[in-house]
């Protein structure tokens, strides 16, 4: 693996083309902000420091990093005005580590680059003054073009400044570079902004290095998907599909059976144990943990904070949010489980609703091991159902109810029945077979 002294991530741009509020690097891609993937790229190079240039929405970016990606090596560097990518990098000059090794520059809107490509960039830097990553995608995406003479790298021209002949060049600038610290110190302050956009272009720097007698090595991506940059919402949805496919492949390789990946949505960071089956039309959000040998779907929505212990099964039209579902417990049909802890081997009948929200706050419900919740039960939180207790079909278990272990409660509002046998026959307490 390659190593860098410093990795700089440029993330101060406005993201005007997104046409959305907030900094573009915080847009979620499979449940994780775009910038998170770029920070992973940075960490893959094992740098001494990671400088993130922030500007537009900088406070939000800083707050998110501190909360979600705490790392002593990361430092945010402000760029008060967004005058271009070279200007952004210039803000980092005073902070650059003097440790030997290249300064790698990443753009915060390029989440799909693989660590292998960055390692190849650092290797290329060992045989040249600087190195850059290029690609030859089917469409140019508005990227800068790579100018060569006799095959040798000469420079980068931005699309808006390119001549028709340059526009025809198929090799484009991905926007990832490895530089020598001295070149940045010497040449960055000298770049000018006489171009179509009136910006200080970092893309001028490699050409300058060549003009000073240096060579610039290039690494060309084999997989053009790595070069998808997030400039507008259509890029974001294209990138999402690529990230989703990578996530699916990792689960499949780990023994998770996805019956139909095309209709299965699994966010970044979801843990799933081997032997678990995910059935079609299922959405699993970030922050969900699923054990081994579980079954989820079809048409199931698992939201953040949900944990399925081994062998649990959630089926058709079941939604779970912050639900801890114990070993072997089943909720197979038309159910909402919000803010609930359910023990092992419980059966949650069709149409059960855990009413967690009272209009002001979310309240917690506890359901014990082997409890049997009859079809159409509404459990109004906060409430508790003891081990092995049973509710009759259609029972409304009111707020603060505490059903003792083994008890049978039926009716509206639910009240204790003497024996379990009565409940099953008189109140129709049986749920459909799970
Ligand atoms: C840039 C490159 C282009 C390349 C493309 C591919 C330049 C001048 N052009 O164009 O050659 O093909 O990326 O990824 O570099 N940023 C700042 N401060 C600024 C301006 C931008 O931090 O003042 C950040 C942005 O947040 C973004 C990154 O730099 O993360 C790239 O900026 P963007 O405006 O997206 O550049 P492109 O037009 O995509
Ligand atoms: Ca971009």
């Amino acid at each position: 693996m390659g190593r860098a002294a410093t990795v700089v991530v440029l993330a101060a741009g406005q993201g005007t083309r997104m046409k959305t509020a907030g900094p573009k690097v915080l847009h979620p891609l499979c449940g994780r902000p775009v910038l998170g993937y770029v920070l992973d790229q940075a960490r893959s190079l094992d740098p001494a420091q990671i400088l993130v240039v922030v500007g537009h929405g900088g406070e939000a970016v800083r707050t998110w990093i501190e909360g979600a990606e705490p790392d002593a090596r990361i430092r945010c560097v402000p760029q008060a005005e967004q005058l271009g990518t070279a200007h952004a990098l210039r803000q980092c000059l005073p902070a650059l580590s003097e440790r030997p090794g290249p300064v790698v520059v990443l753009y915060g809107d390029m989440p799909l680059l693989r660590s292998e490509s960055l390692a190849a960039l650092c290797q290329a830097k060992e045989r040249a003054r600087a190195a850059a990553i290029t690609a030859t995608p089917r469409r140019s995406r508005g990227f800068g073009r790579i100018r060569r003479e006799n095959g040798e790298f000469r420079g980068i021209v931005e699309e808006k400044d390119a001549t028709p002949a340059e526009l025809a060049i198929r090799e484009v600038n991905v926007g990832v570079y490895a530089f020598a610290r001295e070149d940045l110190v010497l040449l960055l302050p000298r770049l000018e902004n006489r171009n179509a956009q009136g910006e200080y272009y970092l893309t001028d720097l490699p050409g300058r290095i060549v003009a000073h007698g240096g060579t610039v090595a290039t690494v060309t991506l084999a997989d053009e998907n790595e070069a998808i940059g997030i400039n507008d919402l259509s890029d974001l949805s294209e990138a999402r599909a690529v990230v989703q496919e990578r996530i699916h492949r990792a689960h499949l390789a780990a023994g998770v059976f996805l019956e139909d990946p095309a209709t299965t949505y699994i966010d970044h960071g979801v843990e799933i144990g081997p032997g678990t089956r995910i059935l079609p039309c299922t959405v699993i959000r970030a922050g969900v943990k699923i054990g081994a040998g579980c079954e989820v779907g079809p048409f199931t929505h698992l939201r953040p904070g949900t944990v399925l212990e081994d062998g649990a099964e959630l089926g058709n039209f079941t939604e779970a949010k912050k639900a801890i579902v114990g070993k072997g417990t089943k909720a197979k049909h038309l159910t909402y489980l919000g803010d609930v802890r359910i023990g092992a081997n419980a059966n949650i009948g069709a149409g059960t609703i855990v009413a967690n929200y009272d209009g002001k706050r979310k309240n917690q419900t506890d359901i014990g091991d082997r409890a049997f919740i009859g079809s159409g039960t509404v459990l109004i939180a906060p409430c508790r159902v003891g081990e092995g207790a049973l509710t009759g079909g259609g029972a409304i278990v009111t707020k603060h109810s505490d059903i003792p272990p083994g008890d049978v409660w039926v009716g509206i509002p639910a009240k204790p029945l003497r024996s379990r046998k009565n409940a099953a026959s008189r109140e129709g307490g049986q749920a459909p077979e799970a």
Side-chain angles (χ1 to χ4, degrees), residues 313 330-333 347-348 431-434:
E313 297 186 10
K330 296 178 183 176
K332 304 275 293 188
H333 329 272
N347 187 83
I348 310 297
E433 270 293 302

Side-chain angles (χ1 to χ4, degrees), residues 6-13 23 25-26 34-36 38-40 42-43 47 49-66 69 71-80 88-89 91-92 95-96 104-109:
T6 298
V7 178
V8 176
V9 177
L10 304 187
V25 293
L26 293 188
V34 166
L35 184 58
V38 180
L39 293 177
D40 278 354
R43 285 187 276 249
Q49 60 173 187
I50 299 172
L51 303 175
V52 182
V53 182
V54 298
H56 181 82
E59 264 322 294
V61 175
R62 193 191 298 265
T63 307
W64 175 76
I65 292 174
E66 282 165 7
E69 306 269 341
D71 184 331
R73 293 170 300 174
I74 299 180
R75 205 160 115 199
C76 290
V77 175
Q79 182 195 20
L89 183 56
Q91 312 309 308
C92 297
L96 284 185
V104 172
V105 181
L106 303 172
Y107 289 170
D109 63 354

Side-chain angles (χ1 to χ4, degrees), residues 330-331 333-337 346-354 367 370-379 385 388-397 403 407-411 414 420 423-424 427-433:
K330 296 178 183 176
H333 329 272
L334 302 159
T335 287
Y336 176 61
L337 303 173
N347 187 83
I348 310 297
T352 296
I353 304 293
V354 176
I367 300 175
R370 297 177 312 283
F372 186 95
I373 307 299
S375 291
T377 294
V378 179
L379 297 154
V385 179
L390 182 151
T391 67
I396 307 284
V397 178
I403 305 183
D407 247 33
V408 175
W409 283 36
V410 299
R420 181 175 178 136
E427 305 288 334
Q430 272 146 344
E433 270 293 302

Side-chain angles (χ1 to χ4, degrees), residues 179-246:
F179 294 113
R181 185 177 182 279
E182 309 79 69
D183 286 336
L184 297 181
V185 172
L186 183 74
L187 298 175
L188 259 188
R190 299 195 195 169
L191 296 182
E192 289 173 350
N193 64 352
R194 276 177 293 172
N195 52 52
Q197 305 190 80
E199 286 183 4
Y200 295 92
Y201 289 164
L202 183 53
T203 45
D204 286 345
L205 188 61
R208 278 309 172 84
I209 291 169
V210 172
H212 277 72
T215 54
V216 176
T218 56
V219 173
T220 303
L221 296 175
D223 174 6
E224 67 167 278
N225 281 338
E226 287 188 56
I228 298 174
I230 313 296
N231 291 321
D232 59 28
L233 288 178
S234 137
D235 296 327
L236 189 71
S237 73
E238 198 182 345
R240 202 211 69 79
V242 175
V243 173
Q244 186 65 93
E245 200 195 328
R246 290 184 186 176

Side-chain angles (χ1 to χ4, degrees), residues 9-15 17 24-25 53-55 79 81-89 106-110 140-145 156-160 172-177 195 197 199-204 227-231:
V9 177
L10 304 187
Q14 249 207 314
R17 289 165 280 182
K24 91 167 162 182
V25 293
V53 182
V54 298
Q79 182 195 20
E81 266 188 296
Q82 283 73 60
L83 302 181
T85 44
H87 178 260
L89 183 56
L106 303 172
Y107 289 170
D109 63 354
M110 299 294 292
S140 68
R141 299 182 168 276
F143 283 11
R145 308 296 203 275
I156 301 167
V157 58
E158 287 303 288
E159 183 168 282
K160 287 186 175 139
V172 302
N173 173 41
V174 169
V176 184
Y177 323 88
N195 52 52
Q197 305 190 80
E199 286 183 4
Y200 295 92
Y201 289 164
L202 183 53
T203 45
D204 286 345
I228 298 174
I230 313 296
N231 291 321

